[in-house]
Amino acid sequence: AQTVTQSQPEMSVQEAETVTLSCTYDTSESDYYLFWYKQPPSRQMILVIRQEAYKQQNATENRFSVNFQKAAKSFSLKISDSQLGDAAMYFCASMDSNYQLIWGAGTKLIIKP
Amino acid sequence: SQTIHQWPATLVQPVGSPLSLECTVEGTSNPNLYWYRQAAGRGLQLLFYSVGIGQISSEVPQNLSASRPQDRQFILSSKKLLLSDSGFYLCAWSGQGPIPTDTQYFGPGTRLTVL
């Protein structure tokens, strides 16, 4: 079965600095999708960024970018110029061959003003 | 654009009472629909998903059931709530048609407390 591991339960960063959240996954699929979702205190799950495994180019969405290392099965999220509104739980997820999302346990990101 | 609604936002129910949570999607047709539950400080657990009207797949045996009476409506129900049913319930949609696309979009959620 696929697994997704987020080894950092909590991370903190100074406002305007850069932070990287780690995620590793295990899959036997050759083609799959990876996601980062953000869950602020309101608890609504918000899509941050999406990566297609067959694409070598790392996905980027404004201040958010990923470092996708397919061979190492690593999918880290980099947040540049951190803002107070970035404070949230961040979940990494992969999609299996049945189109079901496999979720990591989450990383709580704290932004220090 | 597509939007997804859930209600109620918050619900407090006694043990043994029935439950009905509703999820509706606007701006798309024939979406795939999902119900998740999230315990406090934990990740998401998939409960049910549906690829069409009347088509429900259950991922976890439990005290809950789901129905899809209309194309863009997904309902989560229980005849008798248990304390363990407390949690945050999220509805999500993806794709169009029986072959799902890869990205799921979530509603605002319902916080359920069973006392």
Side-chain angles (χ1 to χ4, degrees):
Chain A
Q2 286 193 358
T3 58
V4 176
T5 302
Q6 293 179 251
S7 59
Q8 306 153 317
E10 185 175 297
M11 291 282 286
S12 62
V13 63
Q14 204 72 33
E15 191 176 4
E17 297 292 310
T18 296
V19 64
T20 298
L21 308 183
S22 301
C23 174
T24 58
Y25 61 93
D26 186 18
T27 179
S28 58
E29 304 291 332
S30 58
D31 190 19
Y32 48 91
Y33 299 90
L34 297 165
F35 306 87
W36 278 99
Y37 282 88
K38 166 186 176 181
Q39 189 176 39
S42 68
R43 298 193 74 177
Q44 180 164 7
M45 198 68 77
I46 301 167
L47 177 67
V48 175
I49 204 163
R50 165 186 173 275
Q51 174 80 42
E52 298 168 60
Y54 66 89
K55 289 187 176 179
Q56 294 185 339
Q57 186 174 7
N58 290 325
T60 299
E61 289 288 342
N62 300 314
R63 297 183 295 106
F64 299 86
S65 61
V66 298
N67 183 7
F68 175 46
Q69 302 289 331
K70 191 172 184 178
K73 295 183 179 177
S74 171
F75 182 60
S76 60
L77 175 70
K78 186 173 82 172
I79 306 174
S80 304
D81 185 26
S82 297
Q83 300 175 1
L84 294 177
D86 294 333
M89 284 290 291
Y90 286 81
F91 290 93
C92 178
S94 69
M95 180 162 284
D96 68 12
S97 56
N98 295 319
Y99 298 96
Q100 305 304 329
L101 285 173
I102 310 299
W103 296 84
T107 297
K108 182 178 181 179
L109 180 63
I110 298 169
I111 310 296
K112 299 178 181 178
Chain B
S1 64
Q2 300 87 5
T3 57
I4 179 169
H5 304 279
Q6 287 186 245
W7 63 87
T10 305
L11 190 61
V12 180
Q13 291 285 91
V15 169
S17 63
L19 173 73
S20 181
L21 303 181
E22 189 167 343
C23 170
T24 59
V25 181
E26 297 177 356
T28 186
S29 60
N30 201 20
N32 299 302
L33 297 171
Y34 308 82
W35 277 114
Y36 289 90
R37 177 168 58 198
Q38 184 181 31
R42 304 289 296 274
L44 274 67
Q45 177 188 36
L46 179 64
L47 301 176
F48 302 95
Y49 69 95
S50 171
V51 298
I53 296 175
Q55 300 178 64
I56 308 294
S57 296
S58 174
E59 291 297 306
V60 181
Q62 63 219 324
N63 187 42
L64 303 170
S65 62
S67 62
R68 185 169 177 175
Q70 300 181 40
D71 180 44
R72 291 169 289 175
Q73 184 184 33
F74 204 24
I75 297 173
L76 183 68
S77 303
S78 174
K79 292 182 178 179
K80 290 185 178 182
L81 283 168
L82 307 172
L83 288 173
S84 57
D85 291 324
S86 293
F88 190 65
Y89 289 82
L90 286 156
C91 181
W93 74 274
S94 73
Q96 293 179 359
I99 301 176
T101 62
D102 54 274
T103 303
Q104 295 181 19
Y105 299 93
F106 288 80
T110 295
R111 187 185 307 274
L112 172 65
T113 303
V114 183
L115 301 175

